[in-house]
């Protein structure tokens, strides 16, 4: 797999990736003299997506890129007014922020701060905008669930601390970068669980995504969640996702059969001996194939065959056929066989067929059967196992069909269902203030589901002696770490009584990623995060991993955290 | 509204915004000597989204930006190998393509062509890559439905003609840029129809979008479809969308009430006379309000009131209250009233309240009632009509409730339901070859819904004498234009018999946008496209505009087009 080549990502070029009310709140904090109050926010979700009992944490790499590059001052504007150099992290990315192209009339863009000034009250104190020009993330610290970890309701995916004004401004970008990434990674993980480990899963949803960057995010995090590859070339170029893909119907229908290739000759695979006219050889094979299949020689479409020959001339070692432009049984399949057998004579082996309409499972069984009889008839054993790929609006239910015992489908292309997550197209992450000036904060709205858990917290995952996950514990940051083998009293959320648990292992969940603006360690590669996701899923008990009506995984509070919640609730009562 | 400031858009920086199979097909065409065959593709959808009978065409501006900038050659690589200068359009955008930042280790990125070479067979003829390096859209012509037009099944949103290889490569980018834009514009138009013309609709879904660019697309095209504004600052900065937004719960909960603002004094609105301590004045008003409402003076949360005072000090002319951090009735509302009445004494008027949980309609009625009694009690008539804004997972059904006769809700914020289009999160546009080398082409798959309409076509909208839309006609490009007042024989799709129609007006649907790579006219502004969308919707009959179980709008074929379809079907039969 290639290295990632898009270190900053698109988001990093957009420091104003935010909602207006964060800018208005920034002015509110500043006017109240609270811009630099120490604050901590947590980013989490309240319910697992898709009716399941787990989610995968993802999007952290995009967040780190955004935070490292975050600066409202424009590239050309004066440096930090204190004159202090911008701190450089050991793993800092060295390039300058990408520049916007100028406007069509040649004027430079308004700077970020100029734009904010244009939408805030005209009599706003200029010192506020000076404050914004000096902003960066050099005082921001982030702890996070590593990408590919299992995430559960209420457990922070990110803990973000720093000056109140700046960490408030980060709300929307962090939500935007984490929510969809985690949703699509979780969706991909579900599809992988349904498909089982053997089927190859190809993501092909770029055209159905929310624009180019939506597609890039979808491809990146579908791979992280368990897909094998993507058709999205940008995801290969910029993120190192393995890319795959063959041909579409327009290639087939663009040929009538009357075209004359400039060079119809193909040399043998071994490179020795004279070349042969592939089209002529395919014609010879077509007669044998049609005779064997009981088809008239005129039935297979000549344009489709010409397209296959053209594709085989371009990709003799990677020939694939898309079979359903005209008729699979009467045209696509015999044409594919004729060209494949002609290639086979020259020592090349076709690498696959694809179906994009009709009853995919049934057709795959029939095609495999034809492959077997042709392989036996013409002594070409490799033909038996040519992979069969299918696509066409495949969702979880259709995938379960295609992955069933005895299915002859090998490769499954999924577009819309993976990138748009139609079962639930948003994860609903929130970003909530938990402490300010060292004091815990809690939202006590009358809607119990919207109440938050106060205070700066630590999170641990408790495991049983067999390595399976028992529950996650949230506790106050200053509490001692739970010890393996020791009994712990904890409060399930919403329970009236505590319960006890004796974990065989205890794993800390949140990892220090960014400390005072400095990246603490290099980001793992996408492939490493993908491996972590598969490992994490394997540790989940079958009851929690089940995709429909699973057992709910418990997230519990320490006694001290529960006591803090209770005291803040009582304190708020009139 | 500000001008658009992002002429190239994010996509324009990404010429490899494509699927791998388009690159493999490009090699196939090239190897077959067909790279420069004249080809025409159409981009259309097969079914209207959301169970409605219409869609809005959108995304054209992004397509034009992409096509103008499209070049696989990298900025630093040698020019067109023929030495010919790249043609410049009269409305060309003058800036160089944006550059990618270098990789973290300082190496330059692989060029686009280098990346493609790395994923194509290693023995690919280098002349193919030379061909790619010379590619641009200088031979591409595009006709399109103007942005904001009504679009119906099978009617092309785009007709793209040019050399086969390059117009094939454009498949995924054009689908990616049109599909979601049209989907979200249509979704926004539906929400506007439900809300009626008076309610203000605010899009606030950035955090739920597919990454930053998904959010930018969503905000841009929600506005085009009929929303009034967006909370997305980038959409304001880069696209000129009006931005709006106030404050969030974290601002409220960050205040305990013990904070001391550095400057609690506020001068009167008229600018004359001494300033007053706003917090102290609000405290005085709180006593009167609580007495009037029968509340204890300790019930309203002091932190919430401090937050309101801080916000009012920053935005005395734009004070809004978010009422549900603690308790709307017992805390948010009396605190808002106290601060508003204090502001009112100084000549300022509060501009709104927002509710984000609970029964929004019911609460709005109660709050309006309190506004009325307080307005009467304290002789502040302006308070009666302070706008009430609501948000919290509002979908079509909830919106219909909030927009009902007698509702006191004035502003409705919608996030997830507008940007993710949960009723149907993708439009399913396709891009199909209709002609190559002047010959019509048709996909004749056994799945009737996936069959295409062959040939280079023109499209017209027929209107009745009252200006209402009758039907759309597709015909071959060379046929004479239908004449107003003359009877026309046409074939409804799938019908066994033709029917006749006598239109009072005939409007050509497809507009020449890009001719041989040259932009034919400046793009309309986003506000102009938004106005066209509202005008177009008003021309649709109520039966077609109805959102649930509408009458289907007819798209018909000319007799000659129908005859061509029939002849190609027969020709393909064995």
């Amino acid at each position: 797999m290639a290295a990632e080549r898009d270190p900053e990502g698109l988001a990093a070029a957009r420091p104003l990736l935010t909602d207006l009310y964060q800018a208005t709140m920034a002015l509110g904090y500043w006017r109240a003299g609270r811009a630099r109050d120490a604050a901590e926010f947590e980013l989490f979700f309240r319910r697992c997506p898709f009716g399941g009992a787990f989610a995968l944490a993802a999007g952290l790499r995009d967040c780190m890129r955004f935070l490292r590059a975050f600066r409202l001052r424009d590239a050309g504007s004066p440096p930090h007014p204190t004159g202090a150099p911008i701190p450089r992290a050991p793993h800092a990315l060295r390039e300058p922020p990408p520049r916007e192209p100028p406007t069509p009339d040649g004027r430079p863009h308004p700077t970020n701060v100029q734009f904010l000034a244009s939408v805030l009250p005209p009599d706003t104190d200029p010192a506020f905008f000076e404050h914004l020009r000096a902003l960066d993330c050099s005082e921001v610290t982030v702890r996070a669930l590593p990408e590919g970890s299992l995430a559960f309701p209420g457990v922070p995916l990110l803990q973000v601390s720093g000056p109140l004004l700046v960490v408030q401004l980060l709300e929307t970008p962090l939500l935007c970068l984490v929510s969809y990434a985690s949703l699509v990674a979780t969706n991909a993980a579900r599809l992988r669980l349904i498909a089982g480990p053997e089927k190859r899963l190809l993501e092909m949803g770029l055209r159905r995504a929310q624009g180019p960057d939506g597609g890039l995010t979808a491809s990146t995090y579908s791979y992280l969640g368990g897909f094998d590859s993507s058709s999205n070339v940008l995801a290969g170029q910029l993120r190192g996702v393995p890319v795959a893909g063959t041909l579409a119907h327009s290639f087939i229908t663009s040929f009538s059969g009357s075209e004359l290739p400039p060079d119809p000759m193909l040399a043998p695979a071994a490179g020795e001996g004279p070349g042969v006219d592939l089209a002529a050889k395919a014609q010879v094979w077509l007669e044998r194939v049609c005779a064997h299949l009981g088809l008239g020689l005129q039935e297979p479409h000549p344009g489709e065959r010409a397209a296959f020959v053209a594709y085989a001339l371009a990709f003799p070692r990677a020939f694939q056929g898309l079979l359903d432009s005209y008729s699979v049984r009467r045209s696509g399949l015999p044409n594919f066989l004729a060209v494949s057998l002609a290639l086979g004579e020259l020592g090349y082996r076709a690498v696959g067929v694809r179906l994009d309409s009709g009853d995919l499972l049934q057709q795959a069984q029939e095609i495999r059967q034809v492959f077997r009889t042709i392989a036996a008839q013409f002594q070409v054993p490799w033909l038996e196992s040519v992979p069969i790929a299918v696509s066409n609006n495949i969702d979880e239910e259709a995938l379960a069909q295609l992955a069933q015992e005895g299915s002859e489908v090998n490769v499954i292309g999924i577009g819309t269902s993976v990138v748009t997550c139609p079962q639930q197209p948003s994860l609903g992450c929130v970003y909530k203030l938990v402490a300010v000036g060292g004091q815990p904060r809690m939202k006590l709205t009358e809607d119990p589901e919207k109440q938050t858990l106060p205070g700066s917290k630590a999170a641990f995952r408790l495991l049983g002696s067999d390595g399976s996950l028992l529950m996650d514990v949230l506790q106050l940051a200053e509490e001692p770490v739970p010890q393996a083998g020791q009994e712990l009293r904890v409060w399930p959320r919403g329970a009236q009584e505590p319960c006890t648990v004796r974990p065989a292992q205890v794993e800390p969940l949140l990892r220090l990623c960014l400390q005072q603006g400095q990246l603490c360690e290099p980001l793992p590669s996408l492939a490493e995060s993908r491996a972590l996701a598969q490992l994490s899923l394997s540790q989940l008990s079958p009851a929690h991993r089940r995709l429909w009506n699973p057992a709910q995984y418990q997230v519990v509070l320490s006694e001290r955290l529960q006591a803090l919640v209770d005291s803040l609730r009582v304190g708020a009562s009139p």
Side-chain angles (χ1 to χ4, degrees), chain A residues 4 7 60-62 64-65 513 519 521-525 528:
Chain A
E4 289 186 54
L60 183 59
R61 67 192 59 232
D62 291 322
M64 290 298 120
R65 290 179 185 117
C513 300
L519 212 55
E521 55 191 4
L523 295 172
S525 75
E528 286 164 351

Side-chain angles (χ1 to χ4, degrees), chain A residues 150 152 460-463 469 471-472 505-507 509 553:
Chain A
L150 289 167
F152 299 103
F460 299 91
R461 190 152 286 166
L462 309 186
L463 291 85
L469 309 191
M471 62 182 68
D472 286 5
Q505 299 170 57
V506 176
E507 288 178 359
L509 284 176
Y553 183 83

Side-chain angles (χ1 to χ4, degrees), chain A residues 163-223:
Chain A
L164 179 57
L165 186 151
V166 67
V167 293
Q168 178 77 73
L169 272 180
L170 298 174
E171 172 170 358
T172 295
L174 297 178
L175 285 170
C176 180
L177 295 171
V178 167
S179 277
Y180 175 67
S182 298
L183 183 77
V184 77
T186 306
N187 196 24
R190 290 173 64 91
L191 292 163
R192 167 55 71 199
L193 286 170
I194 294 169
E198 300 301 325
K199 306 286 181 210
R200 296 211 310 271
L201 293 179
L202 166 66
E203 177 275 316
M204 41 188 278
L206 174 56
R207 61 189 55 196
R208 303 287 179 249
Q210 291 177 6
D213 186 42
L216 185 58
T217 309
S219 302
T220 303
Y221 294 103
S222 299
Y223 175 67

